[in-house]
Amino acid sequence: MKNKTTNTPADTAAHAAALTDLGPSPDALAARQAELLALLRQTVPEVLSDNQIDLVKLKDLLGQERIADPQEHYELNWAGKTAARREIQKTSSHTLRPDANNPAQAQHMLIEGENLEVLRVLQKSYYGKVKMIYIDPPYNTGNDSFVYPDNYSETLDEYQRRTGEKNEAGYLNKQSLWKKNSKESGQYHSAWLSMMYPRLYLARNLLRDDGVIFISIDDNEAANLKVLCDEVFGAENFIANVVWQKKYSTKADSKNFSESHEFLICYGKSTSAQIKGLPRSESQEATYKNPDADHRGPWASDNLLRTEARDYAIFPIAAPNGQEYWPPEGSSWRFNREKVKELIADNRIWFGEAGNSKPRLKRFRSDVREAIPPQTIWTFDQVGHTDEGTKQLAELFGGTRSPFSHPKPTRLLQRVFQIASGENDILLDFFAGSGSTAQAVMDLNLADGGNRQCICVQMPEVLDEDSEAYKAGYRTIADITRARIDKVIAKLQAEHPDKTADLACAHFTLAPSNFKVWRGDANSTEALREQLQLFQSAEKQATDTQDQPDQTAMLAELLLKHGLGALGVHAISKPKQLVGVTIYRVRMPDDRDMWLCFEPYTEALKTEITKAKPAKVVMLNSCFVGPKADELLSNLQLELAGLEIGLTVI
């Protein structure tokens, strides 16, 4: 009996095309479009007909004067913006390949690979799940490097026409795009904006509705970044521009000013995003005392004056000893005569222990908020400075020199995570650098008992052969990132073995998909027939240059495609042998099980599935072999459907 549901050409094409669905286009963009359409339908339903927007009606509702001339309206524009927008639409044919030595359980994750492609891969599993993002991107000083343009699918001919360089595999060498953006370039700012725009857009997709993003930047691009974020996140979602005092001394050879600050620009995903207050310090708490044994508890005295003269608040206040006090010239009391009388009667005015001092207002600790809103200026004594970050990293690596230039001090990042995340949130840094974010998250979890998950992404940018890090045996920045995370874990486990037994980080590498990529341009009958024949087995076959994908790699990719996250591969039960077939069992968010199988199917396996009744079973098309493969698949599908067990065949 032929299985018409699973084996039709259209369905085979759909399953094959779905294998490339790790990028933002189908899910992330569709969700964003649905969100905007729902908003229009709720507020102005008359402009929608068959889900199409009637622009004429929209103009009428807004008033013609509100519709800007397309040639004259306020926006940030630059050379290459259209191409940067196209980057957002691209899908990914890549996946995350787990390291063979990954721990069985891992709370944190380090991904080695180009971050735009990684952001595409993460869309399916982490859309709307990340509470906060911190990034420290290139500042575009004229001496730093970054990836542009973001085209990783150029053919050899296209690449050679553009650069004249070669690649043995016939495709663009991604490392070749990691180039210095010189200030002498005619598109100096444009190149940086084109690099940042698609990354910020895809990052926004990953944020929860109450999520926030912090971006470190200096004066080179701070103004452009602010306007760019207004466009990506919405000007109404701007939260703050924090000034960080990064240096404690003056640079004597400065030309005009000695630069001593950087910025942290903060935006929310929506207006529901909020920043938490900081806990009160010991010195702040010490100001509250109770010298008169007031039954309302400790209090601190506050000024009763205002620095302006208001006639209704200029009058004498008599102390208990009869002495009268007037506000100084040019000022007045903070309250009128009647209110002051009420405060005195309620024992809320303090005249000193002897009852003969100038009146002051009593502020009770019980009336004060537990947390204090953070200020927009952070000094080095509060959150650290660049020298502290450099020294901290050098000590961790057992020397006097840091293997990475200008790492952020972890105290700075802990402040960010403290005010912008909860104890069980997911945090993301896709410009991970030396791994300061990972260390700050692990230290903060230890300090407050949190269970934050950290996802770090770093491209394997090749180190200069003259650098200290290269001489120490590191070849890429990603090598430094990984080494730092490993050293931090080892240090914390040695110092706090009772609290860090489960502390671990899983390592992944951005890699081509383990499955064949469906060609969307196969529009002829012959080409379609070739594609269908090719997809009799969806997984790639071993070649001279590529090994056969292993089951762990395919498992990680399928979990990503099912929206369960790359970390999900470490949350599965150990592979179990059932009637000679290896089964991977994954606990899904709804507490139901999903089974995955990559080995030949047997009737005995069907018996085990029907007994266990998992919510879903995922198998490869190549699991069904032999002359009766179609019949076996059809019977399995019908029987599982009757038991309400989902079956996906790839």
Side-chain angles (χ1 to χ4, degrees), residues 107 189 209 217 350 383 389 446 465 477 518 602:
Q107 181 180 4
H189 292 291
D209 284 342
I217 200 68
W350 175 246
V383 296
L446 185 65
E465 293 186 10
I477 291 180
W518 181 264
T602 65

Side-chain angles (χ1 to χ4, degrees), residues 562-579:
H562 282 81
L564 296 177
L567 284 174
V569 74
H570 300 285
I572 65 171
S573 302
K574 290 183 178 180
K576 183 177 182 180
Q577 289 284 330
L578 289 178
V579 293

Side-chain angles (χ1 to χ4, degrees), residues 147 161 167 177 249 318 383 405 441 473 482 492 582 585:
V147 176
R161 281 196 298 270
N167 177 293
L177 279 182
S249 60
V383 296
S405 300
V441 170
R482 179 165 183 167
L492 294 179
T582 302
R585 294 171 297 165

Side-chain angles (χ1 to χ4, degrees), residues 284-535:
Q284 289 168 330
E285 291 290 351
T287 62
Y288 292 91
K289 303 180 184 300
N290 196 359
D292 60 347
D294 195 304
H295 69 279
R296 288 162 293 195
W299 52 269
S301 69
D302 195 3
N303 196 352
L304 194 58
L305 294 168
R306 65 158 54 96
T307 56
E308 60 176 309
R310 296 186 181 182
D311 291 342
Y312 68 84
I314 299 176
F315 52 87
I317 297 178
N321 68 348
Q323 183 176 351
E324 290 187 340
Y325 292 94
W326 287 79
E329 186 176 351
S331 65
S332 59
W333 303 120
R334 297 175 67 173
F335 308 104
N336 60 27
R337 193 184 299 266
E338 289 72 22
K339 182 63 176 179
V340 169
K341 287 181 180 179
E342 290 178 14
L343 293 172
I344 292 176
D346 195 28
N347 191 24
R348 288 181 179 267
I349 300 293
W350 175 246
F351 293 95
E353 292 187 13
N356 58 1
S357 299
K358 292 180 181 180
R360 291 180 63 83
L361 181 66
K362 292 169 69 173
R363 298 281 190 189
F364 289 93
R365 176 64 181 86
S366 57
D367 295 334
V368 178
R369 289 193 298 179
E370 290 296 325
I372 302 174
Q375 295 181 317
T376 54
I377 296 179
W378 296 356
T379 58
F380 63 79
D381 58 313
Q382 295 172 326
V383 296
H385 44 72
T386 51
D387 287 351
E388 178 180 312
T390 300
K391 182 180 179 181
Q392 184 180 36
L393 187 59
E395 290 177 349
L396 187 62
F397 277 73
T400 57
R401 292 190 177 185
S402 169
F404 189 87
S405 300
H406 311 300
K408 293 291 186 290
T410 56
R411 281 202 294 157
L412 172 70
L413 302 185
Q414 284 188 53
R415 165 69 64 87
V416 173
F417 305 148
Q418 187 178 18
I419 65 176
S421 72
E423 295 181 355
N424 297 296
D425 288 333
I426 298 175
L427 285 64
L428 170 66
D429 179 355
F430 52 90
F431 283 100
S434 70
S436 297
T437 289
Q439 180 171 354
V441 170
M442 289 187 279
D443 286 343
L444 184 59
N445 279 345
L446 185 65
D448 67 8
N451 191 38
R452 298 170 185 84
Q453 296 182 52
C454 179
I455 302 174
C456 289
V457 183
Q458 178 56 45
M459 180 172 173
E461 182 184 359
V462 176
L463 295 168
D464 190 320
E465 293 186 10
D466 294 329
S467 67
E468 293 296 322
Y470 191 94
K471 294 174 183 177
Y474 303 104
R475 294 296 174 261
T476 69
I477 291 180
D479 290 343
I480 298 174
T481 317
R482 179 165 183 167
R484 179 178 191 169
I485 292 173
D486 290 345
K487 289 177 183 294
V488 170
I489 291 174
K491 178 176 180 290
L492 294 179
Q493 287 180 333
E495 295 174 350
H496 308 277
D498 56 325
K499 298 180 180 179
T500 58
D502 298 329
L503 182 60
C505 180
H507 299 278
F508 293 81
T509 304
L510 183 70
S513 172
N514 299 291
F515 301 97
K516 299 167 185 174
V517 178
W518 181 264
R519 281 182 50 199
D521 60 350
N523 48 20
S524 68
T525 302
E526 182 178 351
L528 182 60
R529 185 179 296 110
E530 290 177 359
Q531 286 280 84
L532 293 175
Q533 182 62 35
L534 180 68
F535 273 87

